Amino acid sequence: MQRTTRWLVAATLLALGAGAHAQVNQIRVWAAACANCHGTEGRAEPGMIGLAGRNKDELLQQLLAFKNGQRPATIMHQLSKGYSDEQLAQIAAYFAAQKK
């Protein structure tokens, strides 16, 4: 019985780890959509706005302002509407965690 319990616990932990890994990969997929303008992993080319290493809360505020129409933009207001507020928070955290 104890052996079965250990296997169940191990299997559960593996499943949770796989789920967390899939979540990280999903956030990378969302962030990759930003690469055309903001560079790979948020490290933009000269003349463009880099996102890597910026403050997470500031990034999120700006994304939400685009989404809510409070900040004018050519395309960001449209792109941001495609994500939930939670997804935007995860994207902001992803870029904040990247090295400049």
Side-chain angles (χ1 to χ4, degrees), residues 15-89:
L16 289 173
H21 182 69
Q23 180 64 19
V24 169
N25 284 338
Q26 181 60 58
I27 295 167
R28 285 183 177 177
V29 168
W30 295 332
C34 308
N36 285 336
C37 298
H38 299 287
T40 304
E41 296 179 348
R43 290 187 287 282
E45 294 294 319
M48 299 302 287
I49 297 171
L51 304 176
R54 295 193 52 198
N55 181 281
K56 173 183 66 167
D57 295 329
E58 290 176 9
L59 284 173
L60 179 57
Q61 285 179 340
Q62 291 178 11
L63 288 168
L64 292 173
F66 285 127
K67 183 177 180 179
N68 297 328
Q70 296 168 336
R71 183 172 178 182
T74 55
I75 194 165
M76 279 303 302
H77 65 290
Q78 295 171 358
L79 294 173
S80 60
K81 287 180 184 177
Y83 297 97
S84 70
D85 291 358
E86 177 61 31
Q87 289 169 330
L88 291 175

